[in-house]
Amino acid sequence: MSYYASKFFWLAAQPLSLAFFAIVVAILFGWFGRRRLQAAFMLLSAAILFVTLYTSAGTVMLQALEDRFARSTLPVGGPRCIIVLGGSFEAEVIAARGGVEMNQAGDRFVETLRLLQAYPEARVLVSGGDGSFSGRYAGDATVSAAFFAAYGISPVRLIQEETSRTTFENVENTRDLLVQNGLDDCLLVTSAFHMPRAMGLFRKAGLDVVPWPTDYRTSGMASLQLDFTQPSSNAQLTTTALREWIGLTAYYLAGRTETILPE
């Protein structure tokens, strides 16, 4: 599936979009007098919205991914290299306002910075290009230079992979850079829920990396229940979880990983 096809597919497949399309279909069935089908699709839309907004289903689905990989033991003397996957900087905001602005995944770079300060011999490879439709913005690898420099990290320690737009491209484009720089057994830093997909791809590519998850979104103690206290947060967690599970399934079916849920 091409990059743009996957983007458009996800626009349609996320929960709130599915609920909207179910309502549209219900209206069309009503227009043609198919009342039972109209009622069925209205109920489907209501069910999607209820599960998405008023249950902990998304939290539980995301938690299952976050629990898949724990942080490994660091090698003696610390890591020689760290790979951090992009997706943390607000490229459009930075382009308009300047500075360095992070989104919810910013902990990927905060944790990487902590590791670089703790282990001054380690190098960092940032993988992430412009993932926008327009292709007009600086990607995470480019922006990271200013971020790390602001905290005293020497630019000679930074390797930038500036072209990837997906996790699959992250891995493909990172492989050559690791070989060119003589680096192996790197820490892999990404969001905990994203780690299974990333590890599956790295393993399939024959690259040994050490998982170092960060950016946890769940407590690890969630159970399936009703939750009327935070519908907007529930919707966001459900959307993130569904996107990641779809990505895991798609990569497995495409032969890019050995199993749907790596461990």
Side-chain angles (χ1 to χ4, degrees), residues 2 5 22 25 30 56-57 79 140 149 175 193 211 238 240 243 259-260:
S2 71
V25 172
S56 62
D140 279 38
R175 176 167 34 197
F193 66 83
T238 304
T240 301
R243 179 174 185 172
T259 179
I260 289 181

Side-chain angles (χ1 to χ4, degrees), residues 238-262:
T238 304
T239 300
T240 301
L242 185 59
R243 179 174 185 172
E244 201 59 32
W245 279 102
I246 289 174
L248 283 162
T249 304
Y251 278 178
Y252 172 69
L253 293 176
R256 293 177 173 179
T257 58
E258 297 291 349
T259 179
I260 289 181
L261 190 57

Side-chain angles (χ1 to χ4, degrees), residues 92-131:
E92 187 173 356
V93 175
I94 293 170
R97 299 181 179 274
V100 177
E101 299 293 334
M102 291 183 171
N103 57 34
Q104 194 172 359
D107 195 39
R108 299 183 190 186
F109 281 86
V110 173
E111 178 63 16
T112 299
L113 175 63
R114 185 190 71 80
L115 290 166
L116 290 173
Q117 291 175 332
Y119 302 101
E121 299 302 316
R123 300 190 69 188
V124 57
L125 190 161
V126 181
S127 178
D130 180 8

Side-chain angles (χ1 to χ4, degrees), residues 49-98:
L49 288 173
F50 183 82
V51 171
T52 299
L53 297 172
Y54 302 118
T55 77
S56 62
T59 303
V60 171
M61 287 192 297
L62 203 64
Q63 182 174 271
L65 297 174
E66 291 187 338
D67 288 346
R68 203 67 177 172
F69 286 91
R71 287 186 179 178
S72 302
T73 303
L74 288 175
V76 177
R80 292 181 58 238
C81 69
I82 303 163
I83 301 169
V84 56
L85 303 186
S88 300
F89 294 110
E90 292 288 353
E92 187 173 356
V93 175
I94 293 170
R97 299 181 179 274

Side-chain angles (χ1 to χ4, degrees), residues 81-89 108-110 112-113 116 123-130 138-149 153-155 157-164 169-171 173-175 177-178 181 183 186-189 202:
C81 69
I82 303 163
I83 301 169
V84 56
L85 303 186
S88 300
F89 294 110
R108 299 183 190 186
F109 281 86
V110 173
T112 299
L113 175 63
L116 290 173
R123 300 190 69 188
V124 57
L125 190 161
V126 181
S127 178
D130 180 8
D140 279 38
T142 301
V143 176
S144 68
F147 172 75
F148 288 127
I153 303 300
S154 171
R157 301 174 66 188
L158 175 62
I159 304 168
Q160 295 165 285
E161 187 285 291
E162 300 175 309
T163 61
S164 61
E169 291 178 358
N170 285 145
V171 177
N173 298 340
T174 292
R175 176 167 34 197
L177 289 174
L178 292 175
N181 288 274
L183 299 173
C186 300
L187 289 190
L188 176 61
V189 178
F202 272 96

